[in-house]
């Protein structure tokens, strides 16, 4: 299975750098126009470096901070994303900026449950099977419990991927257990220059990651490129709150509480101050929808969750 996963890598586009260094994708690009890092004005190169450093810093406490900042609600948002995807056995998923594995693990669990229901329905239609035949059927389907589904987690940050791999091993999703999980692989790569061939994946997801890419337009073009015709794009991201009263309360919580939590839990005030500021700089729902359409996607829409604190944008490559 692991060998099969490596076939997705695009020859000649590896983004690996030397030990302890940021990937070449972060360092080798010419400085472009001025952009924003939170409320600071920076160059394109500076933004890449600073964002890389943020996630290198917060990786080990990333999950704990997510639970603390959202009171655990981020788990529900991610569950909703997977249910909206509604993947079937055999689906090939690319999860970008998914280093800690939250979307990948949910995908595996969802497809496994679909396969289990399929097996139960099949056996119910064969009431005259012997116990031995039923047992053998279960064993056979167990060793293909996800119907050849594959999930590739791609992240630009080594530390985030390291955390994801550790979680996978701890939760039983590690490679080599082919009778339990699909081909689950971890790839170091830049969302703006993905190391995969064209027309490869059925679904592309990016959860709380597109806000941190330097060039959203390039990331969207890459998402379109690697999806198969008929493939689906799904983006879960913090967005703009529609209710004025809630918006003021949300701002108060974001700027007065979240950086303090970052300092107390992760020992890192500045990184979480940036994360709050980056949400305010991110395009609102309608603007992001237009950007996704400009990348070539059709039937683009979005669903606000919790009055727009987050939104799920969806589109198809036709």
């Amino acid at each position: 299975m692991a060998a099969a996963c490596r076939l997705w890598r695009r020859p000649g586009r590896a983004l690996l750098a030397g030990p302890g260094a940021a990937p070449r994708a972060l360092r080798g690009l010419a400085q472009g126009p001025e952009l924003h890092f939170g409320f600071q004005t920076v160059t394109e190169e500076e933004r890449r470096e600073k964002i890389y450093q943020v996630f290198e810093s917060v990786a080990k406490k990333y999950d704990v901070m997510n639970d603390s900042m959202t009171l655990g609600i981020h788990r529900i948002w991610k569950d909703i994303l997977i249910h909206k995807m509604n993947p079937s056995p055999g689906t090939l998923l690319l999860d970008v900026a998914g280093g800690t594995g939250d979307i990948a693990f949910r995908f595996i669990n969802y497809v496994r449950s679909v396969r289990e229901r399929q097996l139960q329905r099949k056996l119910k239609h064969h009431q005259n099977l012997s116990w031995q035949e039923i047992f053998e059927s279960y064993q056979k389907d167990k060793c293909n419990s996800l119907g050849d589904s594959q999930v590739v987690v791609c992240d630009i940050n080594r530390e985030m991927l390291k955390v994801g791999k550790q979680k996978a091993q701890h939760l039983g999703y590690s490679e080599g257990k082919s009778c339990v999980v699909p081909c689950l692989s971890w790839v170091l790569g830049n969302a703006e220059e993905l190391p995969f061939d064209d027309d490869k994946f059925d679904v592309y997801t990016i959860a709380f990651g597109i806000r941190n890419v330097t060039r959203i337009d390039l990331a969207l073009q890459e998402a379109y490129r690697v999806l198969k015709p008929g493939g689906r794009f799904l983006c879960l991201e913090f967005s703009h709150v529609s209710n004025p009263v809630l918006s003021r309360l949300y701002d108060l919580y974001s700027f007065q509480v979240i950086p303090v939590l970052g300092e107390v839990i992760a020992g890192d005030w500045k990184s979480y101050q940036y994360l709050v500021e980056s949400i305010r700089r991110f395009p609102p729902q309608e603007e992001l929808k237009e950007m996704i359409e400009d990348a070539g996607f059709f039937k683009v829409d979005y669903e606000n969750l919790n009055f727009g604190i987050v939104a799920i944008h969806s589109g198809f490559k036709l």
Side-chain angles (χ1 to χ4, degrees), residues 21-249:
R24 287 197 297 273
L26 297 176
R27 298 181 283 108
L29 300 178
Q31 291 192 358
E34 288 188 341
L35 299 169
H36 296 287
F37 176 77
F39 291 160
Q40 301 177 43
T41 300
V42 295
T43 65
E44 189 171 319
E45 177 70 9
E46 287 172 338
R47 177 175 162 83
R48 282 190 174 88
E49 291 285 355
K50 285 178 177 292
I51 290 175
Y52 188 89
Q53 291 165 8
V54 163
F55 285 93
E56 190 172 50
S57 172
V58 305
K60 291 181 180 179
K61 296 289 185 178
Y62 186 78
D63 289 333
V64 174
M65 276 300 300
N66 278 348
D67 282 334
S68 301
M69 289 188 301
T70 70
L71 305 178
I73 299 174
H74 75 99
R75 298 173 181 268
I76 298 173
W77 295 334
K78 291 167 184 174
D79 289 340
I80 292 172
L81 179 70
I82 294 296
H83 282 273
K84 192 174 183 71
M85 183 196 307
N86 190 25
S88 58
T91 298
L92 275 59
L93 169 66
L94 173 63
D95 182 39
V96 175
T100 58
D102 280 0
I103 302 302
F105 303 151
R106 282 170 168 79
F107 170 82
I108 291 169
N109 292 340
Y110 190 95
V111 176
R112 180 187 293 154
S113 68
V114 171
R115 286 285 289 178
E116 178 67 20
R117 290 195 299 271
Q118 289 177 344
L119 176 59
Q120 290 175 355
R121 285 196 299 267
K122 183 176 73 173
L123 293 178
K124 284 180 180 178
H125 284 86
H126 296 82
Q127 297 291 338
N128 58 343
L129 290 178
S130 68
W131 171 85
Q132 184 66 29
E133 289 170 325
I134 293 174
F135 176 79
E136 290 174 354
S137 181
Y138 261 110
Q139 291 303 307
K140 179 182 177 181
D141 279 85
K142 182 180 178 183
C143 284
N144 190 19
S145 64
L146 288 112
D148 299 320
S149 297
Q150 295 185 21
V151 53
V152 179
V153 178
C154 181
D155 201 294
I156 199 170
N157 194 287
R158 284 192 184 83
E159 287 301 313
M160 295 291 282
L161 288 172
K162 181 179 178 181
V163 170
K165 291 177 183 178
Q166 290 171 344
K167 283 174 61 179
Q169 187 171 14
H170 176 72
L171 297 172
Y173 297 110
S174 56
E175 293 182 10
K177 299 182 180 181
S178 59
C179 285
V180 181
V181 301
C183 185
L184 169 62
S185 60
W186 308 83
V187 175
L188 184 70
N190 185 348
E192 299 168 45
E193 190 182 9
L194 292 169
F196 309 107
D197 290 331
D198 301 351
D199 305 327
K200 286 296 183 183
F201 296 95
D202 299 309
V203 182
Y204 171 112
T205 54
I206 183 165
F208 304 114
I210 201 165
R211 188 181 77 257
N212 298 304
V213 303
T214 301
R215 292 278 304 277
I216 295 175
D217 58 335
L218 295 182
L220 292 173
Q221 290 168 22
E222 281 291 271
Y224 187 88
R225 180 183 66 78
V226 301
L227 279 171
K228 296 176 182 178
R232 191 175 190 187
F233 169 87
L234 286 164
C235 172
L236 172 65
E237 187 54 86
F238 287 108
S239 200
H240 291 249
V241 178
S242 56
N243 183 292
V245 175
L246 180 59
S247 180
R248 287 194 290 272
L249 293 173

